Amino acid sequence: GIQVEQSPPDLILQEGANSTLRCNFSDSVNNLQWFHQNPWGQLINLFYIPSGTKQNGRLSATTVATERYSLLYISSSQTTDSGVYFCAVEYGNKLVFGAGTILRVKS
Amino acid sequence: DTEVTQTPKHLVMGMTNKKSLKCEQHMGHRAMYWYKQKAKKPPELMFVYSYEKLSINESVPSRFSPECPNSSLLNLHLHALQPEDSALYLCASSQAHGSSTDTQYFGPGTRLTVL
């Protein structure tokens, strides 16, 4: 099966700092999504991004499908950005999640 | 409206109880999913329904029984669960299962504790 690896596993930021989260995958995929899971468990769609670059406010994402990785950029981080960030790839008609990056933003 | 709703939010049950989790979406999606998420782990797929028919069962024990009464509703019936079944149960929906342009939308989850 496919391997989806996220790095770093944990990240602590001071409010206002920028960060880059990475997702590597071991095979070609049909799509890739980034999610934020808040402390209450809600998984929120951030981006559907099988290739290319997208931006939404302080967040942006880039997927280089030919090199099998995706990056999520968070700029000017806020305490509400805390939580777990998952990338998930569609493979064999299933969404396969990475292990996540736990982000804590301190005020 | 990109909302998936789940009830109840929390559920505590004994090992001999029978209970059901409910999921609803009104986005016209034709695929619905159940995931199980243990603490500090990613969600794991349990079941997929496509056009109200079960299309994927990830070898889930029979004490979990899914049901899709119509295209907007998805239930998960629970019976004779074990304490290790305690987890966050997430429902999701998407326009069509297996489409390369599909995006899954998740509900807030039901936090289940089995005593």
Side-chain angles (χ1 to χ4, degrees), chain A residues 18-83:
Chain A
N18 303 329
S19 63
T20 301
L21 281 54
R22 188 176 179 103
C23 173
N24 292 334
F25 43 98
S26 59
D27 202 349
S28 301
V29 298
N30 292 328
N31 81 49
L32 185 146
Q33 290 183 247
W34 282 98
F35 295 92
H36 174 220
Q37 188 165 40
N38 66 25
W40 298 272
Q42 173 80 59
L43 268 169
I44 300 160
N45 292 68
L46 298 177
F47 294 102
Y48 163 78
I49 185 163
S51 63
T53 296
K54 289 186 178 179
Q55 177 146 14
N56 184 3
R58 296 181 295 103
L59 302 182
S60 64
T62 295
T63 297
V64 183
T66 52
E67 297 187 24
R68 299 180 185 164
Y69 73 88
S70 183
L71 302 173
L72 178 70
Y73 305 96
I74 305 174
S75 64
S76 305
S77 58
Q78 300 175 358
T79 55
T80 51
D81 295 331
S82 297

Side-chain angles (χ1 to χ4, degrees), chain B residues 15-78:
Chain B
M15 289 190 284
T16 58
N17 293 156
K18 284 185 184 181
K19 296 285 184 185
S20 297
L21 309 184
K22 183 177 171 180
C23 173
E24 196 164 2
Q25 57 88 13
H26 294 289
M27 295 179 275
H29 288 173
R30 301 316 299 265
M32 295 186 79
Y33 310 79
W34 280 115
Y35 288 84
K36 174 182 178 179
Q37 186 178 20
K38 300 285 277 183
K40 299 187 188 299
K41 296 288 187 184
E44 292 179 346
L45 183 66
M46 299 174 73
F47 301 104
V48 180
Y49 272 82
S50 179
Y51 290 87
E52 299 159 49
K53 291 196 167 103
L54 183 65
S55 65
I56 294 179
N57 175 344
E58 288 289 281
S59 303
V60 179
S62 60
R63 57 186 184 269
F64 295 91
S65 174
E67 178 198 18
C68 189
N70 60 56
S71 59
S72 301
L73 278 176
L74 185 66
N75 298 322
L76 186 63
H77 303 297
L78 314 172

